[in-house]
Amino acid sequence: MRVIIETDAETACISAARIICDQIHKKPNSVLGLATGGTPTRCYQELIRRFQNGEIDFSQTRSFNLDEYIGLPEEHPESYHAFMKAQLFDHVNIPAGNWHVPKGLTDDLTRECERYEAAITAEGGIDIQLLGLGRDGHIGFNEPGSSLASRTRVKHLTMQTIADNARFFGSEELVPRLAITMGVGTILDAGHCLMLATGAGKAEAVAAMIEGPVSASVPATALQFHRNVTVLLDQDAAKLLKHGDYYRMSENAQRIIDNSMGV
Ligand code: F6R
């Protein structure tokens, strides 16, 4: 894992946007895996800013979101469909048919899960997957106990996740209990996993993800098996890392190497 500890959340989000832009410059028809929640919103603002400045073109990109609540119509302001339109898709030139969010309101959820997996495969797989981290160690909505080989399916949210997401809905009662989510195995198939975690509330989960034993109890630890993971943190999220100084030192060395190679 490449662990990058930035000075603050703002810098971490801007670095995430830069990495996504670098991917699109390298491969204009990249398949992006996208996340929702509070953490990536600043990153999406930066992508919009770069688009408006003519620095980035989304016209050939395709995208797949990690997850969607079950039972919310797409127009519901807290559906991830509506979130992504408001936070990114309505402000950049990704064609409407190119972005995908699982359908959380359908008669046949099993078929929707299979359809979503098949659609990712048909587009050639995800080149870069943006991830946030749940305080309970989830990625996507792969809650503790999720199979580390799981594919897109329906999951129950933990009480921790329901409490954390109540801030978007106004109360815990209004948070849907079920979600459709890419599996851990689906996420691990991405070419590059880009984890963005900020704030002291994530510090425990961050330490477990990077330094803890791999366990289905902390699904994000599965990223330790992936060959190309970048973790972007702020100081608060990094504060419980045992080897924080080592990650800072090796990242400084890496930046010197990158600069000397003109990366
Ligand atoms: C969202 C998602 C979740 C969030 C995680 C962190 O699509 O898959 O795993 O990334 O719950 O959420 P925030 O950023 O709100 O702390």
Side-chain angles (χ1 to χ4, degrees):
M1 283 191 190
R2 183 171 183 179
V3 180
I4 304 177
I5 305 170
E6 301 284 17
T7 45
D8 50 33
E10 163 87 3
T11 314
C13 291
I14 287 174
S15 293
R18 183 183 40 76
I19 290 170
I20 294 169
C21 287
D22 286 350
Q23 169 65 39
I24 298 171
H25 284 138
K26 202 169 65 186
K27 182 181 171 197
N29 65 344
S30 285
V31 179
L32 311 175
L34 299 175
T36 55
T39 314
T41 54
R42 182 68 189 88
C43 167
Y44 292 148
Q45 284 165 11
E46 175 64 9
L47 289 178
I48 293 166
R49 190 193 68 77
R50 286 175 180 239
F51 168 71
Q52 286 169 346
N53 278 355
E55 293 170 36
I56 190 77
D57 174 18
F58 290 88
S59 63
Q60 295 179 58
T61 61
R62 284 80 41 84
S63 77
F64 289 88
N65 265 78
L66 284 164
D67 40 23
E68 177 61 285
Y69 292 114
I70 289 178
L72 296 189
E74 288 175 353
E75 321 67 75
H76 189 289
E78 294 309 329
S79 79
Y80 286 164
H81 181 104
F83 174 101
M84 287 307 301
K85 277 173 64 65
Q87 299 286 330
L88 185 65
F89 300 146
D90 283 351
H91 310 283
V92 298
N93 65 339
I94 183 167
N98 283 19
W99 55 265
H100 309 269
V101 179
K103 292 189 198 319
L105 203 57
T106 162
D107 293 343
D108 192 338
L109 286 163
T110 306
R111 206 169 64 191
E112 173 58 8
C113 296
E114 288 165 3
R115 184 197 68 79
Y116 205 65
E117 284 280 334
I120 295 171
T121 306
E123 295 291 352
I126 291 169
D127 292 299
I128 186 165
Q129 176 66 59
L130 180 62
L131 296 165
L133 180 63
R135 288 204 296 158
D136 62 2
H138 70 220
I139 46 175
F141 275 132
N142 294 285
E143 299 286 30
S146 290
S147 159
L148 301 186
S150 48
R151 311 302 304 185
T152 301
R153 71 215 182 293
V154 173
K155 284 298 289 182
H156 273 95
L157 306 190
T158 60
M159 287 319 291
Q160 167 92 75
T161 300
I162 290 167
D164 286 346
N165 289 2
R167 69 192 195 280
F168 298 112
F169 288 84
S171 87
E172 284 189 18
E173 289 66 45
L174 296 176
V175 181
R177 268 38 186 172
L178 295 172
I180 181 166
T181 179
M182 281 186 203
V184 179
T186 320
I187 292 169
L188 292 180
D189 283 349
H192 182 184
C193 289
L194 177 60
M195 164 61 73
L196 183 58
T198 56
K202 299 291 171 70
E204 252 178 65
V206 163
M209 168 179 72
I210 298 171
E211 296 177 341
V214 174
S215 163
S217 293
V218 184
T221 59
L223 293 172
Q224 293 178 27
F225 282 122
H226 196 284
R227 290 197 298 182
N228 189 10
V229 178
T230 304
V231 182
L232 278 165
L233 305 171
D234 65 354
Q235 302 287 332
D236 286 341
K239 70 180 182 182
L240 296 179
L241 287 169
K242 269 200 282 216
H243 304 295
D245 288 343
Y246 169 71
Y247 307 134
R248 287 186 182 90
M249 190 187 71
S250 48
E251 185 52 28
N252 285 341
Q254 187 63 49
R255 285 187 185 187
I256 291 167
I257 295 166
D258 286 352
N259 286 342
S260 71
M261 292 171 65
V263 177

